Amino acid sequence: QVAEKVLHKTGHGVCTMEAHRYIPPHIAMAELFAEGFDYVLTGDGMASGEELEDMSRCAREEYVEIPVVFHRYIEDEVKRRLLSMEFISRVDQPEQLIRATGSRGLHVSPCYCAPRNRYAISLNNSDSSHYMGELQIALQDMGSSAESNVIGFVHPFGVRLLECIKYGKNRFKLVEL
């Protein structure tokens, strides 16, 4: 797939997608790649060295990076392990959340069992039996559960990427912002 760039009569370029105007280029690029685009061109302004580095990493990876913000309640060891894991959402996921079972078995004690607002990230704790350690991302506001620790949320830059990982569509990793 190729997205065309339309030019203003004054010669100034316009974004291919208005939704990408104010997000980091590598996140926009990740979304386009996850949706099946073969390549992405940048134009008009010069990308910084850091932006080019991030875009290069994004082009090499075979997973979608989901930018997240962790709550202070998460244990450092649990966070370190989650950041090193690659996930895939279940193809039989319910409508209200993304379930990634790759972290099941990770020991998580009950802590901060708060309401799971839209885009909240939670881990099932030891009260949830064999589901302990399962990572979940809320797609709509949900109540609290004694079995789920809220550990953070998907950064607003990354919420469009959630469509790219639903139902086992693409593998993904959490990346702390």
Side-chain angles (χ1 to χ4, degrees):
Q1 297 181 19
V2 177
E4 285 189 36
K5 183 175 180 177
V6 180
L7 293 178
H8 257 266
K9 62 182 176 181
T10 59
H12 299 290
V14 295
C15 293
T16 302
M17 291 180 58
E18 186 63 28
H20 289 165
R21 183 178 296 274
Y22 299 109
I23 64 173
H26 72 283
I27 293 175
M29 184 174 166
E31 183 181 329
L32 293 171
F33 281 169
E35 290 296 335
F37 284 80
D38 297 320
Y39 59 91
V40 175
L41 302 174
T42 61
D44 290 343
M46 291 296 296
S48 71
E50 184 179 340
E51 288 172 328
L52 290 173
E53 208 172 286
D54 288 343
M55 291 169 69
S56 174
R57 184 187 71 248
C58 173
R60 288 190 311 267
E61 301 304 347
E62 295 183 10
Y63 51 79
V64 177
E65 292 184 346
I66 304 295
V68 301
V69 176
F70 288 107
H71 289 310
R72 60 186 163 133
Y73 308 107
I74 187 172
E75 296 174 24
D76 289 338
E77 178 61 17
V78 170
K79 179 166 78 169
R80 185 190 64 73
R81 292 199 47 204
L82 289 174
L83 289 171
S84 70
M85 292 180 176
E86 225 175 84
F87 298 96
I88 191 157
S89 68
R90 293 178 57 95
V91 294
D92 63 342
Q93 78 176 48
E95 186 176 312
Q96 70 269 24
L97 56 87
I98 291 171
R99 295 178 61 206
T101 57
S103 54
R104 275 196 194 164
L106 183 63
H107 186 271
V108 183
S109 299
C111 172
Y112 199 57
C113 301
R116 293 168 289 166
N117 296 325
R118 189 173 190 196
Y119 309 130
I121 303 168
S122 60
L123 273 180
N124 283 358
N125 62 44
S126 57
D127 288 346
S128 64
S129 184
H130 64 282
Y131 296 106
M132 179 177 65
E134 180 175 293
L135 181 90
Q136 299 179 347
I137 302 173
L139 298 175
Q140 60 189 31
D141 290 344
M142 300 171 61
S144 61
S145 167
E147 297 178 359
S148 295
N149 296 355
V150 176
I151 61 167
F153 59 91
V154 175
H155 191 281
F157 288 153
V159 296
R160 289 176 51 92
L161 290 169
L162 297 179
E163 289 297 319
C164 302
I165 64 170
K166 287 170 57 173
Y167 306 108
K169 191 171 175 185
N170 288 293
R171 292 178 301 154
F172 68 98
K173 284 188 87 160
L174 304 179
V175 179
E176 185 174 22
L177 280 189

Coordinates of all heavy atoms in Angstrom, one line a residue, residues 84 92 110-111 120 150-151 172:
S84 N 10.6 -6.9 28.8 CA 11.5 -7.8 28.0 C 10.6 -8.8 27.2 O 11.2 -9.6 26.4 CB 12.5 -8.5 28.9 OG 11.8 -9.5 29.7
D92 N -9.4 -15.0 20.6 CA -10.8 -15.1 21.1 C -11.1 -14.1 22.2 O -11.8 -14.3 23.1 CB -11.0 -16.5 21.7 CG -10.1 -16.9 22.8 OD1 -9.1 -16.2 23.0 OD2 -10.4 -17.8 23.6
P110 N -1.5 -9.2 45.1 CA -2.5 -8.2 44.9 C -2.0 -6.8 45.4 O -1.4 -6.7 46.4 CB -3.6 -8.7 45.9 CG -3.4 -10.1 46.0 CD -1.9 -10.3 45.9
C111 N -2.3 -5.8 44.6 CA -1.8 -4.4 44.9 C -2.5 -3.5 43.9 O -2.5 -3.8 42.7 CB -0.3 -4.3 44.8 SG 0.3 -2.6 44.9
A120 N -6.3 1.3 30.4 CA -5.6 0.9 31.5 C -4.9 -0.5 31.2 O -5.5 -1.3 30.5 CB -6.5 0.7 32.8
V150 N -3.9 -2.8 38.5 CA -3.7 -1.8 37.5 C -2.3 -1.4 37.6 O -1.8 -0.9 38.6 CB -4.7 -0.6 37.6 CG1 -4.4 0.4 36.6 CG2 -6.1 -1.1 37.5
I151 N -1.5 -1.6 36.5 CA -0.1 -1.3 36.6 C 0.3 -0.1 35.7 O 1.4 0.4 35.8 CB 0.7 -2.5 36.1 CG1 0.4 -2.9 34.7 CG2 0.5 -3.7 37.1 CD1 1.4 -3.9 34.1
F172 N 3.3 -7.8 19.9 CA 3.6 -6.5 20.5 C 4.5 -6.5 21.7 O 4.6 -7.6 22.3 CB 2.3 -5.7 20.8 CG 1.5 -6.2 21.9 CD1 1.6 -5.7 23.2 CD2 0.6 -7.3 21.7 CE1 0.8 -6.1 24.2 CE2 -0.2 -7.7 22.8 CZ -0.1 -7.2 24.0

